[in-house]
Structure formats: structure tokens, C-alpha cells
């Protein structure tokens, strides 16, 4: 009774996943990260100042969609390390790119009419998502070869490339599945 229990879920008495366990070790890994933080959690280890920044691994700039200190490539690319695959398997790179917030919606809206669309119109179609997020997603899709822009009189207009059209075609079975799923619910 004289000791203080580890932080836990008040209903089960089990330490929470992100809590440091006894001795400053992170539950599930048994290791502390260099720089005084608990590996993967961004939690200062006991007795440390916790001020040492966690730098991304070499060759891994962080993107805007990841937690601070989580190293992933800015633009997922087959053959380079991506979330879920140190070797950069193409399917994992595609899932990393497509799993970013708003990416699939942007692709869908570029696909719907098949005609190029301006930035502001695309933003409105995407429920007025922030312009910075839309700009980031369009840049990622352009660098991945899925979308491109063409200049019109006043502003660039965005459209899917042939690779982007192939992606939409490949997603057809998922669309069919989702409709069948909706009917069953």
C-alpha cells in the first residue's frame, strides 16, 4: 500500500499503451529512446529534461500528416521506405499516399466530371477544406504522377493524369464492394 501504482485505465488496472512503465521503459517496447524520451511516444524518460528534439532518420523528411518525430517520406514513393514497408513495396507506398486525409476525396472530385477544375472550385467541391491542405495534397498527387495542372487564362486547372485514371479504374471493385456493404446495413 505504500507504493504508487503505475498510471492505468481506471476500469481495468492495466497500464495505458502510451504510459511509461516502471523504470522509464515504454510498455510494449522495453526501450527508452536516445535524448531522454520514451521511444515512439514523445514522453520524457524519468530524470531527463525531455528537451532533446527527436530528429527524423536520415532521408526521411516529415510530412504534415504525421505525428512530430515520426519519420516517413514526405511523398510516398515505391522503392523508398514508407509507412509499413522499409523496402518501399509499391502497394504500401500507394496505401500510404492514398491514406492521407482528403487524398481520396481530391482524386474523386478530379474524376467526377473528367474536366479540369480550378483550385477554388475544387476546394468548394471538397467541402471547403483548408487551402493549405488542398495545396499539399495536389502537390503530392502531382509529384506521384496522379494529377497535373494546366494553365488557363487566370489560374491553373487540375485534372487526373492517365495514371490517375488507371487508379480510379483500379478502385472500381472497392466502389462495388462499398455499395454492397451499404445495402446490407
Amino acid at each position: 500500500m505504500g507504493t504508487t501504482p503505475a498510471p492505468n485505465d481506471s476500469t481495468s488496472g492495466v497500464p495505458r499503451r502510451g504510459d511509461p512503465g516502471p523504470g522509464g521503459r515504454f510498455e510494449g517496447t522495453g526501450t527508452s529512446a536516445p535524448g531522454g524520451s520514451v521511444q515512439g511516444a514523445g514522453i520524457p524518460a524519468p530524470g531527463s529534461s525531455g528537451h532533446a528534439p527527436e530528429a527524423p532518420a536520415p532521408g526521411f523528411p516529415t510530412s504534415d500528416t504525421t505525428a512530430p518525430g515520426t519519420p516517413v517520406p514526405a511523398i510516398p514513393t515505391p522503392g523508398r521506405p514508407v509507412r509499413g514497408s522499409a523496402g518501399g513495396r509499391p502497394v504500401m507506398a500507394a496505401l500510404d499516399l492514398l491514406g492521407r486525409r482528403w487524398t481520396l476525396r481530391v482524386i474523386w472530385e478530379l474524376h467526377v466530371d473528367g474536366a479540369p477544375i480550378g483550385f477554388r472550385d475544387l476546394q468548394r467541391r471538397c467541402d471547403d477544406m483548408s487551402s493549405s491542405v488542398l495545396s499539399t495534397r495536389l502537390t503530392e498527387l502531382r509529384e506521384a504522377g496522379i494529377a497535373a495542372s494546366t494553365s488557363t487564362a487566370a489560374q491553373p486547372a487540375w485534372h487526373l493524369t492517365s495514371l490517375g485514371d488507371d487508379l480510379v479504374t483500379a478502385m472500381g471493385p472497392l466502389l462495388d464492394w462499398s455499395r454492397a456493404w451499404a445495402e446490407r446495413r
Side-chain angles (χ1 to χ4, degrees), residues 62-122:
T62 58
S63 76
D64 70 328
T65 60
T66 61
T70 304
V72 295
I75 306 297
T77 306
R80 294 185 57 196
V82 295
R83 246 177 273 184
S85 174
R89 287 179 288 175
V91 70
M92 297 307 292
L95 290 173
D96 190 354
L97 176 64
L98 298 176
R100 294 176 177 202
R101 64 189 166 131
W102 291 102
T103 299
L104 287 172
R105 177 68 183 268
V106 170
I107 292 169
W108 182 258
E109 295 301 338
L110 291 173
H111 161 74
V112 170
D113 292 336
I117 182 173
F119 185 90
R120 295 284 179 219
D121 288 336
L122 182 57

Side-chain angles (χ1 to χ4, degrees), residues 5-10 12-22 25-28:
N8 60 47
D9 179 317
S10 62
S12 68
V14 176
R16 294 183 305 241
R17 179 146 170 76
D19 291 333
R25 296 189 180 275
F26 182 69
E27 181 184 47

